[in-house]
Amino acid sequence: KECWIMILAVTLKTTNKTPWANEFDTIELSCLIESISTTHPRIEWKKIKDGKPSYVYFEKRMAGDLEHRAKIREPASLVILNATRLDTASYRCEVTAANDQRSFDEVIIELVVRVKPVVPKCSVPKSVPVGKSAELSCEEKEGYPKSQYQWFRDKEEIPEDPKTSPRFLNSSYTLNTETGVLRFSAVRKEDAGNYYCRAKNDAGFSECGPQKMEVYDINVAGIILGVLVVVVVLLCITVGICCAYKRGYFASQKQTGNNYKTPAKGDGVDYVRTEDEGDFRHKSSFVI
């Protein structure tokens, strides 16, 4: 007679190891029991974030940050309601069957909650002279996965490579779709227009409002004329100062009577100062 021995082992599987959901959606993490002999197995769910596990379902109760936003769908699947970006993590379904020969099995599911980008912050220079460089920037930090960027001019998309479009063929720009920076090395008159940026990812997109960039010619003749005027004015001032010096307007003050020094007295002679400066007479006769 042949003897058949049944090997009792709990076995799990999932229909999707890498599910995704948009923010505020409902998402189910499937944990299916393919084989089991134990009537009432122990089921647990753990969330692993930054390498640290925490319970979300333990002893037949929801726990942690999913306590009021999740439920178990029989036999062991986890349903998350109103998903948020903080729910992006690894989730581990664990089933322990005490009466099975292999009493434990688990499946790990990687969940990604996608978040639509918010309106990006755009910066466009108001006016740029022909031939000069210009930089336009676009950034938003809320979207998940990280946003990609597109630029538009007068409602027409600016291609990443200007050589792919006849309209932008002669433009000298570089577009970084990762950082959102649009840089012109030498602006042309044709680059003037209304610019706006779009931030997009798998969850959707958002746009900033259009901003006008004007391109103007540099007035070389006006600049030269202005320089000449300044030179002429400085020359006139210099000539005026020189003439003033020559005519004595800046000469030092002449000596006055108060500054006069009396000559040294000779032996036996006294001098008396009169009202007229420098007029002296003898006070006494010479003594021989």
Side-chain angles (χ1 to χ4, degrees), residues 7-285:
I7 300 176
L8 304 177
V10 58
T11 305
L12 305 180
K13 74 171 185 177
T14 182
T15 57
N16 190 354
K17 287 188 175 182
T18 56
W20 58 266
N22 289 335
E23 192 175 26
F24 310 124
D25 284 353
T26 296
I27 180 68
E28 179 177 340
L29 309 184
S30 68
C31 181
L32 307 178
I33 302 176
E34 282 193 310
S35 63
I36 193 169
S37 298
T38 302
T39 306
H40 299 290
R42 186 178 69 191
I43 300 171
E44 295 176 352
W45 275 93
K46 294 176 182 177
K47 177 182 180 180
I48 305 170
K49 189 89 169 180
D50 299 326
K52 299 178 181 179
S54 60
Y55 281 107
V56 294
Y57 183 73
F58 180 69
E59 293 185 347
K60 299 182 179 182
R61 295 179 58 185
M62 302 306 306
D65 55 359
L66 294 180
E67 184 176 2
H68 304 294
R69 292 192 300 111
K71 61 183 180 180
I72 293 295
R73 179 168 293 167
E74 296 294 340
S77 295
L78 178 66
V79 179
I80 299 176
L81 310 172
N82 195 27
T84 71
R85 69 185 66 205
L86 298 178
D87 296 332
T88 297
S90 299
Y91 291 83
R92 187 166 65 211
C93 174
E94 301 176 355
V95 175
T96 302
N99 298 330
D100 288 41
Q101 183 175 348
R102 192 182 72 183
S103 60
F104 178 83
D105 199 10
E106 66 180 24
V107 292
I108 298 177
I109 299 172
E110 304 289 340
L111 172 63
V112 173
V113 178
R114 305 185 305 193
V115 181
K116 177 183 175 181
V118 298
V119 175
K121 183 184 295 183
C122 302
S123 177
V124 178
K126 292 183 178 180
S127 59
V128 183
V130 172
K132 296 296 183 179
S133 62
E135 182 174 294
L136 289 71
S137 62
C138 178
E139 184 182 28
E140 78 84 33
K141 298 181 179 180
E142 298 299 320
Y144 188 85
K146 186 179 178 181
S147 293
Q148 298 286 308
Y149 298 95
Q150 296 172 287
W151 274 99
F152 295 81
R153 186 185 72 195
D154 297 332
K155 298 183 179 181
E156 182 177 358
E157 183 181 354
I158 299 175
E160 186 173 356
D161 184 358
K163 296 180 181 179
T164 60
S165 172
R167 187 170 181 181
F168 296 93
L169 185 61
N170 296 321
S171 295
S172 58
Y173 69 81
T174 56
L175 173 58
N176 191 326
T177 58
E178 299 288 335
T179 63
V181 174
L182 173 62
R183 182 177 291 107
F184 291 90
S185 58
V187 174
R188 305 177 306 141
K189 291 286 288 185
E190 294 80 1
D191 295 325
N194 292 302
Y195 287 81
Y196 67 92
C197 171
R198 174 183 294 171
K200 65 175 184 177
N201 62 13
D202 294 335
F205 69 88
S206 292
E207 298 173 348
C208 63
Q211 301 179 42
K212 188 174 184 179
M213 184 177 79
E214 295 181 347
V215 180
Y216 62 90
D217 292 312
I218 300 177
N219 189 353
V220 178
I223 294 175
I224 294 175
L225 181 60
V227 172
L228 289 176
V229 170
V230 172
V231 171
V232 170
V233 171
L234 292 176
L235 184 61
C236 291
I237 294 173
T238 303
V239 171
I241 293 174
C242 290
C243 291
Y245 268 112
K246 288 182 178 180
R247 295 185 180 184
Y249 289 111
F250 297 99
S252 58
Q253 187 180 11
K254 293 183 178 181
Q255 287 183 334
T256 61
N258 295 330
N259 296 328
Y260 187 83
K261 294 182 179 179
T262 304
K265 293 181 181 180
D267 292 340
V269 179
D270 291 332
Y271 291 94
V272 177
R273 183 176 176 180
T274 63
E275 292 181 356
D276 295 327
E277 184 179 12
D279 185 14
F280 292 85
R281 63 181 177 82
H282 290 294
K283 182 177 180 182
S284 61
S285 299

